[in-house]
Amino acid sequence: MQPIRHNKGVLDSAVMESGSPLYETLQQHFLFSGLDKESFDLLATTVSAKTVAKGEVLFHRGDPARYFYFLDTGLIELNLIAATGEKKVLEVVGPGRTFGEAITFMQNKKYPVTAEALEDCVLCQIPNKAYIDLIYANPDACMRLLGSVCRHLHARVREIENLTIQNARSRLASYLLDHVTETNEDEATVRVELPRHVIASRLSIKPETLSRLLRSMTDDGILTIEDRVIFVHSLARLRPYD
């Protein structure tokens, strides 16, 4: 995506012109694939592109929710601050995913979480009202959305199960197995994209606990860590903790 001009986080570019890469990517997303071309083109006229720098907050919990977002590049962290002041990472959103869309269907139009950029990001900003007006007029889009919500709910139930039933070492093993990128018989490669403190928060453990567990697995000869790449020497030895 080549922006023409950057001004206060908004890209002045024809990113949503028919046939452009971002236009086609957004059109294939489950939230929009149920729309016919005429309806999607109408929605596209209301969509704007936005940049968020690393460390910048896109919105805070409690802010009025007038938009939801599609992430084109970068990583967005969704978090809450507990009464103790500790930050809890609820989810890390990667490219090709949307976030904030659930609020479109709620009466209370306020963001329930804070969204912060872990990297420089480019997003599509979609107005809630423009989207909901099209959904109400399109039953096929509603059914597609319902199916995706069910799949998302199933994934969240599995995550809750992992956090409540498994111990810390088992949760870490599950996380590593879920992020394997290459395998060779009993060996595997895991590429870690997130900072360790974010991973620890996702696993509901302290960063020092995560470091201790990784060090223990390294000492046991289960894995080797090189920067952001983890080499698993024995999937069989890792799996018993899953």
Side-chain angles (χ1 to χ4, degrees):
M1 184 189 309
Q2 298 296 322
I4 297 172
R5 183 175 70 251
H6 178 261
N7 181 25
K8 294 183 179 180
V10 177
L11 292 173
D12 184 8
S13 56
V15 295
M16 290 305 297
E17 283 189 350
S18 180
S20 69
L22 188 52
Y23 173 98
E24 295 184 357
T25 299
L26 197 64
Q27 190 177 34
Q28 293 170 9
H29 190 276
F30 75 88
L31 289 179
F32 312 102
S33 58
L35 300 173
D36 57 40
K37 188 176 186 306
E38 181 180 355
S39 297
F40 182 76
D41 285 344
L42 179 62
L43 179 66
T45 63
T46 70
V47 175
S48 58
K50 183 179 181 66
T51 60
V52 183
K54 179 180 179 180
E56 184 179 348
V57 173
L58 178 62
F59 55 76
H60 289 90
R61 180 183 184 184
D63 286 350
R66 300 185 181 92
Y67 305 94
F68 68 95
Y69 297 89
F70 173 86
L71 182 59
D72 185 41
T73 62
L75 290 172
I76 291 287
E77 174 188 283
L78 304 181
N79 62 63
L80 287 173
I81 304 299
T84 59
E86 183 180 4
K87 181 167 73 172
K88 170 60 181 175
V89 179
L90 300 179
E91 190 168 4
V92 176
V93 181
R97 293 183 55 195
T98 54
F99 58 97
E101 66 271 19
I103 306 153
T104 304
F105 304 94
M106 298 179 181
Q107 282 190 324
N108 185 14
K109 296 292 194 290
K110 292 184 179 180
Y111 294 114
V113 298
T114 295
E116 182 178 347
L118 294 177
E119 300 175 355
D120 292 343
C121 298
V122 176
L123 313 98
C124 287
Q125 186 171 259
I126 302 113
N128 288 336
K129 187 177 185 307
Y131 178 72
I132 203 69
D133 286 348
L134 289 176
I135 289 296
Y136 279 145
N138 195 315
D140 184 43
C142 288
M143 293 305 297
R144 288 175 181 267
L145 178 60
L146 181 60
S148 180
V149 168
C150 290
R151 288 192 296 273
H152 184 77
L153 179 61
H154 178 75
R156 295 288 77 78
V157 169
R158 181 175 180 271
E159 182 176 341
I160 292 171
E161 181 184 67
N162 288 340
L163 291 175
T164 54
I165 297 177
Q166 297 178 334
N167 61 35
R169 184 158 180 163
S170 295
R171 294 201 296 271
L172 175 57
S174 294
Y175 181 88
L176 295 176
L177 290 170
D178 286 343
H179 290 80
V180 166
T181 56
E182 301 172 22
T183 58
N184 181 16
E185 296 182 350
D186 193 40
E187 299 181 339
T189 301
V190 178
R191 300 189 184 278
V192 182
E193 297 182 354
L194 303 178
R196 284 197 183 183
H197 73 277
V198 175
I199 296 174
S201 182
R202 290 298 310 276
L203 298 177
S204 293
I205 59 178
K206 299 289 186 181
E208 53 267 29
T209 301
L210 174 62
S211 297
R212 186 169 62 252
L213 289 171
L214 288 172
R215 186 165 56 249
S216 175
M217 289 181 175
T218 300
D219 293 342
D220 290 344
I222 297 174
L223 51 83
T224 299
I225 303 173
E226 294 183 9
D227 194 19
R228 289 182 173 268
V229 179
I230 297 177
F231 299 99
V232 179
H233 302 302
S234 175
L235 288 170
R237 293 184 63 197
L238 182 64
R239 284 194 179 105
Y241 301 110
D242 181 20

